[in-house]
Amino acid sequence: MSSPQSYRPQVANDLSGRIALVTGGGTGIGLMIAQGLAAAGAKVYITARRLEVLEKVSASWDRQIGGEIIPLQVDVTDKASIAKAKKFIEEKEGKLHVLVNNAGQEGPKSLFFSDPSAPENKSAEALGTAMFNNETFEAWGDHYKVNSASIFFVTTAFLGLLAKGSEDEAGYLSSVINVTSISGVIKLAQDHFCYNSAKAAATHLTKMFSTELALKGIPVRVNSIAPGVYASEMTFDEIPPEQVDKVGKGIQSVPSKRAGTGQEMAATAVYLASRAGGYMYGQELIIDGGYTAVNPSTV
């Protein structure tokens, strides 16, 4: 039986000594998560293509809060770049405890789709033709590379190091956290069929990885976080309450009447990465202020 001390939240959520890597960690949700992991004591490598953004974040982090934030330039759509990052972590740390697959883009849009007054919506023929002409196979392919395929390649590249990290303490397994979206579980297109279907693919990749790794006896847990309306590079730097429904593009208002906070996002990631979430496998935590409770979804 666990000791009474182990039930204290600050013990269950402590990430001291853990090594983490967060893709797309320099801005938005990735930054929220990186800062949360570091504040819980982790040594966090943040990656993105723009090194200057990462360096700025790293330089501004107050180590008195806890942990470290270290920049590492990586393109998650390039296998050579991923392999180089894996080699760097392997030589520097020899293991990895937490991998957060957060890198993503919004993708192609057909903004007229949800506008009843748009001429493109005057008939099925007009709508179909407009959507066919407005988007391209190339844009869809590029988007899927970032939002779903990158999860496969980054996870497989670091799988051995994650398994190595699980050897540190019996029963305290390394964790993969995929940042998906409520857009992958709702039945609304929100003007971007590509983004929503790519996020649905990311959700299913989470479940497949979790199941297959467990069946093969590989000691790595895989879960995902599906955010609702949060400030990010894909939305706005700040989302005041009156803008939440405009960003969410639901048919019903978000019950919480506000956007999610960095604290809520960070705490959810820390839960999944820490001992507190150590019994969770293959699940998707939806943090959306009630969006999926009142809008059509698959959950």
Side-chain angles (χ1 to χ4, degrees), residues 161-237:
L161 292 179
L162 287 161
K164 187 71 175 175
S166 292
E167 296 175 6
D168 283 356
E169 185 178 333
Y172 189 9
L173 302 188
S174 296
S175 175
V176 175
I177 303 169
N178 297 324
V179 178
T180 57
S181 172
I182 59 166
S183 293
V185 298
I186 63 171
K187 299 177 184 179
L188 303 171
Q190 299 171 299
D191 295 329
H192 38 53
F193 279 81
C194 182
Y195 177 84
N196 291 26
S197 58
K199 285 299 184 180
T203 292
H204 198 58
L205 271 169
T206 298
K207 299 179 184 301
M208 287 192 293
F209 265 124
S210 180
T211 297
E212 293 288 5
L213 296 185
L215 290 174
K216 292 182 181 297
I218 296 174
V220 177
R221 297 184 301 110
V222 185
N223 295 284
S224 60
I225 300 173
V229 179
Y230 278 76
S232 71
E233 281 194 311
M234 289 186 287
T235 55
F236 302 97
D237 291 335

Side-chain angles (χ1 to χ4, degrees), residues 97-258:
H97 300 107
V98 183
L99 170 63
V100 180
N101 287 306
N102 168 75
Q105 296 176 350
E106 195 170 23
K109 297 180 182 180
S110 291
L111 294 176
F112 52 79
F113 187 79
S114 60
D115 180 2
S117 65
E120 292 88 348
N121 282 300
K122 66 182 180 181
S123 68
E125 176 64 27
L127 179 60
T129 298
M131 294 185 69
F132 182 85
N133 291 333
N134 188 59
E135 301 186 20
T136 66
F137 276 105
E138 290 77 16
W140 273 64
D142 289 344
H143 186 66
Y144 265 75
K145 283 175 65 177
V146 178
N147 279 29
S148 52
S150 69
I151 291 175
F152 173 84
F153 288 103
V154 174
T155 301
T156 53
F158 284 92
L159 189 59
L161 292 179
L162 287 161
K164 187 71 175 175
S166 292
E167 296 175 6
D168 283 356
E169 185 178 333
Y172 189 9
L173 302 188
S174 296
S175 175
V176 175
I177 303 169
N178 297 324
V179 178
T180 57
S181 172
I182 59 166
S183 293
V185 298
I186 63 171
K187 299 177 184 179
L188 303 171
Q190 299 171 299
D191 295 329
H192 38 53
F193 279 81
C194 182
Y195 177 84
N196 291 26
S197 58
K199 285 299 184 180
T203 292
H204 198 58
L205 271 169
T206 298
K207 299 179 184 301
M208 287 192 293
F209 265 124
S210 180
T211 297
E212 293 288 5
L213 296 185
L215 290 174
K216 292 182 181 297
I218 296 174
V220 177
R221 297 184 301 110
V222 185
N223 295 284
S224 60
I225 300 173
V229 179
Y230 278 76
S232 71
E233 281 194 311
M234 289 186 287
T235 55
F236 302 97
D237 291 335
E238 292 185 19
I239 304 176
E242 62 272 14
Q243 291 293 318
V244 168
D245 292 330
K246 182 178 180 180
V247 174
K249 296 183 178 181
I251 56 177
Q252 296 291 335
S253 295
V254 177
S256 68
K257 301 185 185 303
R258 64 172 176 84

Side-chain angles (χ1 to χ4, degrees), residues 2-31:
S2 301
S3 67
Q5 176 83 1
S6 67
Y7 289 101
R8 297 173 63 188
Q10 58 266 46
V11 174
N13 293 315
D14 183 21
L15 295 176
S16 297
R18 307 298 273 182
I19 310 299
L21 186 145
V22 181
T23 69
T27 59
I29 287 173
L31 177 57

